[in-house]
Amino acid sequence: MKIEPLLNELFPAGHSVSVRAGLLSGYGSAGPGQVAVLGTTDHLAVSAEVALELACFVLNVVREKPGVAILMLVDTQGQKLSKADELLGLNGYLAHLVKCLDLASRRGHRLITLVYDEAVSGGFLSFGLMADDIHALADAQIRVMNLPAMARITKLPLETLQELSVKSPSFAPGVDNFYKLGGVLSIWRPPLADHLEAALKRQTCGDHRRDDGMERMGRKLAARVSRLVVDAKPKTG
Amino acid sequence: MTDYSQQHRGHSYYEANARQRIAHLLDPESFAELLGPADRLTSPHLEPLGQPCAFDDGIVIGRGRLDGRPVLVASQEGGFMGGAVGEVHGAKLTGLLELAQSEKPAGVILMLESGGVRLHEANAGLIAISEIIRALLTVREAGIPVLGLIGGAYGCFGGMGIVARCCDSLIINEEGRLGLSGPDVIETTMGVEEFDASDRALVWRTVGGKHRYMLGEVQCLVEDDIAAFRAAVIKNISMPIPLTLEALEQEQLHLTRRLQDFGQCQDGIDVWQSMGIEAPAMLPLLNIRDFLESVAAQAKANYED
């Protein structure tokens, strides 16, 4: 979905979100009140500069709009693949954005994500995946890597991967697979403004993705394994 | 229980495996593993792809003591699938970080060696890394320091490179590499003109321990000796760094300045030259002691602002 119609559908009461060089920032009016909006469009790769711009907006929201919910609209092809960015320590820039969003969350800002086009690995990790509640449009794309590239790198036959991707949600791209794993809470279909309003009103309780993945039988071990660790008693003596 | 003494010196961090690193880093015989190989918690996603599994899924976690103080520790095994994060591997690390929230140890020590998401279970791995990040930041919020150690053959890349930079502080050796996309990935995707991954010297000047130290991305650069890592951990573990609005505003300024100052650079040598290092091409050749002496002023400036 294109960004302008998406913004109009999400905020029928109006918005002031600016779209500049693939970056989104601004505010929208939703049912329960004002929402801060940030994100990317045109499959923007997250570079050091992009991460800084997004982080700057998050820090402004924390400073100037205490408690306002933050909606992250995701369309990214992933992290920028460049030597110059790696030389600067791109992972540190993405970690900075992550820490800013975490700060916002701790200060009472609801973080909600909508994947409306493409969400890929490092770019997705650096902002969209930081929300308590992550939603996606039905025709969005979420992936780490496409199957042909995966086949090349793992040296496994493409046919084997295609065959198994029908049975296992764990590696093949797709919104449905992330839904089964608990990585996507719900899939939105129009009217989108209603979904946004419901998402803003929903009570949330931190990172619930492992439990969702367990319930949906897509990720059967993550919740159990982490629970076993937490419950492990120290050896006496 | 024996003292940590002279006999523990001289173990290469680079060459050790995950368990050896823990054994030599912590107080002798203090380590108690959680969900060890005997528990047989293996990845369910590898067998269908005809891949071997590991009984610990490539990560060792547990409790131990460091200089007499209780710590939780995790150590990724680069020898198993390059330390890549799958569902079980990730859940063990997230679980350890959640255990830290209730148990409140003196610190959490993460020995990071990973290429990031394990492609054979990519979706589960990606979500798992996001869960690790959130659990780690909750540990920090509780005032418990999280220290990352990097220095193995596989480096620390992908999502784990982001995890690393969420730690309070990082300790690295010269052989250690830290980044987001590995040089091979960049070369494969963008072409050899963008990044020649076979040029090992260039790779180290871009993502290696010395350059990361110069940038202020890591706080300690140490010799390739587990005892040196231990000493650095002991020195840093008592200093949790709160993630306040002010601290993140400072980081925003610092990273903005770095982008302005070095954004046009294509090689570590260009960066070091811009920093005012007199003979930047010599830096890769110096041993750690001479290197630290010759760059002390620049590193201090990077660390403080």
Side-chain angles (χ1 to χ4, degrees):
Chain A
M1 191 170 189
K2 293 263 177 262
I3 186 63
E4 286 83 8
L6 174 75
L7 288 167
N8 292 335
E9 273 201 43
L10 285 169
F11 302 109
H15 70 83
S16 65
V17 178
S18 73
V19 182
R20 188 177 47 83
L23 277 165
L24 316 172
S25 64
Y27 294 88
S29 313
Q34 201 180 30
V35 180
V37 180
L38 67 86
T40 50
T41 190
D42 297 330
H43 311 328
L44 185 69
V46 181
S47 62
E49 193 176 355
V50 167
L52 274 182
E53 297 249 8
L54 292 173
C56 179
F57 181 71
V58 174
L59 292 175
N60 281 336
V61 172
V62 169
R63 259 190 311 261
E64 290 160 20
K65 307 267 184 185
V68 161
I70 298 174
L71 175 66
M72 294 184 264
L73 297 176
V74 179
D75 176 19
T76 172
Q77 59 183 276
Q79 69 266 24
K80 177 95 180 279
L81 291 168
S82 95
K83 187 176 68 188
D85 279 78
E86 288 297 330
L87 192 60
L88 289 168
L90 182 56
N91 56 310
Y93 283 78
L94 268 58
H96 173 65
L97 175 55
V98 156
K99 286 180 273 188
C100 291
L101 286 163
D102 181 71
L103 174 83
S105 175
R106 284 177 206 295
R107 290 200 165 201
H109 297 265
R110 279 292 305 277
L111 302 185
I112 297 169
T113 288
L114 176 63
V115 180
Y116 71 96
D117 197 323
E118 201 177 62
V120 184
S121 52
F124 192 24
L125 262 180
S126 69
F127 65 109
L129 278 170
M130 286 301 290
D132 279 342
D133 296 348
I134 299 161
H135 308 274
L137 298 187
D139 59 354
Q141 296 286 324
I142 309 181
R143 65 172 180 275
V144 172
M145 196 179 271
N146 61 34
L147 285 189
M150 209 178 268
R152 206 168 54 235
I153 294 179
T154 59
K155 298 184 177 68
L156 292 163
L158 181 59
E159 298 73 40
T160 311
L161 292 183
Q162 279 164 339
E163 209 174 288
L164 276 159
S165 68
V166 181
K167 283 183 265 176
S168 163
S170 285
F171 62 89
V175 168
D176 287 339
N177 286 336
F178 275 82
Y179 175 83
K180 287 181 196 139
L181 297 170
V184 164
L185 177 64
S186 77
I187 298 171
W188 290 6
R189 293 179 175 83
L192 300 180
D194 294 356
H195 283 289
L196 178 58
E197 196 174 327
L200 287 164
K201 284 180 182 157
R202 201 182 102 88
Q203 291 292 319
T204 186
C205 49
D207 198 340
H208 46 76
R209 292 174 288 186
R210 271 163 290 165
D211 296 331
D212 294 348
M214 176 79 193
E215 214 166 88
R216 297 166 187 175
M217 300 297 283
R219 222 163 27 128
K220 297 174 200 160
L221 281 173
R224 188 175 135 232
V225 167
S226 55
R227 173 53 54 191
L228 281 172
V229 179
V230 171
D231 289 344
K233 300 275 179 296
K235 262 192 293 189
T236 47
Chain B
M1 191 166 290
T2 43
D3 287 332
Y4 190 93
S5 60
Q6 207 60 30
Q7 63 180 351
H8 277 277
R9 290 188 187 282
H11 292 283
S12 161
Y13 186 98
Y14 181 82
E15 286 170 20
N17 65 29
R19 284 196 164 70
Q20 290 165 337
R21 284 176 190 152
I22 291 179
H24 294 301
L25 189 92
L26 298 181
D27 296 351
E29 288 153 51
S30 72
F31 181 64
E33 186 169 353
L34 297 171
L35 302 194
D39 291 307
R40 294 289 194 272
L41 280 166
T42 61
S43 166
H45 308 293
L46 297 175
E47 191 272 324
L49 292 167
Q51 299 290 306
C53 67
F55 290 142
D56 55 16
D57 206 32
I59 186 168
V60 184
I61 59 167
R63 298 182 174 95
R65 291 195 167 266
L66 185 81
D67 210 21
R69 305 171 74 193
V71 291
L72 293 178
V73 57
S75 185
Q76 293 180 299
E77 178 54 64
F80 180 67
M81 309 196 92
V85 179
E87 177 176 351
V88 171
H89 181 119
K92 284 174 78 174
L93 185 45
T94 300
L96 187 81
L97 292 160
E98 289 173 341
L99 179 62
Q101 292 160 31
S102 58
E103 204 159 285
K104 305 203 185 320
V108 181
I109 302 164
L110 306 181
M111 296 192 232
L112 304 170
E113 179 162 17
S114 179
V117 170
R118 186 185 294 168
L119 288 178
H120 307 77
E121 37 189 307
N123 302 345
L126 183 68
I127 302 169
I129 289 181
S130 164
E131 288 165 342
I132 292 166
I133 289 172
R134 296 197 56 192
L136 191 161
L137 293 172
T138 306
V139 172
R140 287 194 61 182
E141 170 74 11
I144 301 160
V146 182
L147 278 72
L149 281 56
I150 298 167
Y154 292 85
C156 180
F157 287 98
M160 290 308 291
I162 303 178
V163 171
R165 287 291 283 111
C166 287
C167 293
D168 286 78
S169 47
L170 290 175
I171 300 157
I172 200 166
N173 58 14
E174 184 174 6
E175 293 80 359
R177 287 166 298 137
L178 170 63
L180 190 56
S181 304
D184 297 318
V185 176
I186 297 178
E187 184 189 306
T188 307
T189 320
M190 309 303 287
V192 69
E193 311 75 31
E194 175 64 30
F195 203 158
D196 181 357
S198 68
D199 185 342
R200 304 316 287 169
L202 173 67
V203 168
W204 255 267
R205 293 198 302 271
T206 309
V207 295
K210 281 176 173 169
H211 177 56
R212 289 303 182 227
Y213 179 78
M214 291 298 290
L215 282 181
E217 284 276 292
V218 304
Q219 287 65 46
C220 301
L221 176 71
V222 299
E223 300 277 357
D224 179 37
D225 183 335
I226 301 176
F229 277 88
R230 175 182 158 97
V233 173
I234 291 171
K235 196 173 139 213
N236 283 275
I237 204 163
S238 315
M239 299 186 283
I241 300 161
L243 285 170
T244 59
L245 176 59
E246 295 68 33
L248 290 170
E249 283 172 333
Q250 276 301 112
E251 187 166 73
Q252 179 83 19
L253 283 176
H254 179 60
L255 293 175
T256 303
R257 197 177 317 148
R258 186 192 296 170
L259 178 63
Q260 285 163 355
D261 291 350
F262 312 127
Q264 302 304 314
C265 295
Q266 283 296 327
D267 192 308
I269 293 175
D270 305 337
V271 176
W272 310 332
Q273 187 145 35
S274 306
M275 284 175 173
I277 300 289
E278 270 177 35
M282 293 303 289
L283 288 191
L285 306 175
L286 298 176
N287 66 37
I288 294 297
R289 202 188 53 210
D290 294 345
F291 172 85
L292 289 174
E293 262 172 35
S294 70
V295 304
Q298 275 76 19
K300 195 162 179 286
N302 286 321
Y303 192 56
E304 284 180 352
D305 67 7

